[in-house]
């Protein structure tokens, strides 16, 4: 008797069920792995943000203290200069004191600007460093996969 091509006699439901089970188990395992990776990445990102905020906060305090110190030095210098001007005995001494003061203040301003610039650079580096580290870690984890 000729075999009917539409017959289901060769169909084995246990093989389909087994294949479907393998497929779903593999999908579930991949989903768990993906979730673990996403969770780890989110935790790393949270740590990076926290480290960045802490660095920015510490840097702001450091910059603020440098600025306050510069203001204190400038105020002390100005008061000393005013006292010297009040004790000047002649007009030529007054001009000499003023010229010297302006020169010293210009030098001091340059020095203070350099110090603030250097501190700003260090703060910027410390703020950016956690993000750089996190990016390098992420790139290396992708290379490992």
């Amino acid at each position: 008797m000729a075999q009917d091509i539409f017959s289901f006699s060769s169909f084995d439901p246990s093989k389909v069920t087994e294949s479907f089970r393998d497929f779903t188990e593999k999908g579930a395992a991949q989903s768990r792995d993906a979730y673990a990776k996403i969770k780890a990445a989110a935790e790393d990102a949270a740590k990076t943000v926290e480290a960045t905020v802490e660095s920015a906060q510490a840097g702001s305090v450091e910059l603020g203290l440098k600025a306050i110190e510069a203001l204190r030095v400038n105020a002390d210098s100005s008061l000393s200069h005013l006292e010297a001007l009040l004790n000047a005995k002649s007009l030529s001494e007054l001009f000499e004191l003023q010229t010297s003061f302006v020169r010293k203040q210009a030098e001091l301003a340059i020095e203070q600007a350099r110090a603030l610039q250097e501190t700003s650079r260090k703060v910027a580096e410390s703020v950016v460093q956690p993000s750089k580290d996190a990016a390098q870690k992420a790139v290396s984890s992708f290379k490992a996969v």
Side-chain angles (χ1 to χ4, degrees):
M1 175 164 165
Q3 188 178 20
D4 186 7
I5 58 171
F6 295 107
S7 75
F8 289 104
S9 62
S10 63
F11 178 73
D12 185 3
S14 65
K15 288 183 180 178
V16 172
T17 305
E18 193 175 304
S19 295
F20 185 71
R21 183 179 301 124
D22 289 344
F23 175 76
T24 56
E25 286 176 357
K26 190 181 236 185
Q30 289 174 344
S31 295
R32 281 191 296 273
D33 290 346
Y35 173 76
K37 287 179 182 178
I38 290 171
K39 181 181 175 190
E43 289 171 352
D44 287 347
K47 289 176 187 175
T48 299
V49 168
E50 186 178 324
T52 301
V53 168
E54 287 174 2
S55 294
Q57 189 176 28
S60 295
V61 168
E62 186 177 355
L63 281 170
L65 291 174
K66 289 266 187 196
I68 290 169
E69 177 62 18
L71 289 172
R72 187 193 61 75
V73 167
N74 291 341
D76 287 348
S77 177
S78 294
L79 289 174
S80 295
H81 173 63
L82 184 57
E83 187 178 315
L85 287 178
L86 292 174
N87 291 326
K89 306 252 188 292
S90 68
L91 191 58
S92 63
E93 184 181 356
L94 185 83
F95 282 123
E96 185 180 319
L97 286 171
Q98 184 62 25
T99 303
S100 174
F101 175 74
V102 169
R103 182 180 44 77
K104 286 179 185 176
Q105 283 302 106
E107 291 171 358
L108 183 61
I110 291 169
E111 181 182 316
Q112 289 170 341
R114 284 183 182 148
L116 283 171
Q117 182 181 23
E118 179 64 21
T119 302
S120 296
R121 184 188 63 75
K122 287 179 183 177
V123 167
E125 286 176 359
S126 71
V127 167
V128 171
Q129 192 60 44
S131 298
K132 277 184 176 179
D133 294 344
Q136 288 175 346
K137 182 179 178 183
V139 168
S140 67
S141 72
F142 284 122
K143 286 180 181 178
V145 173

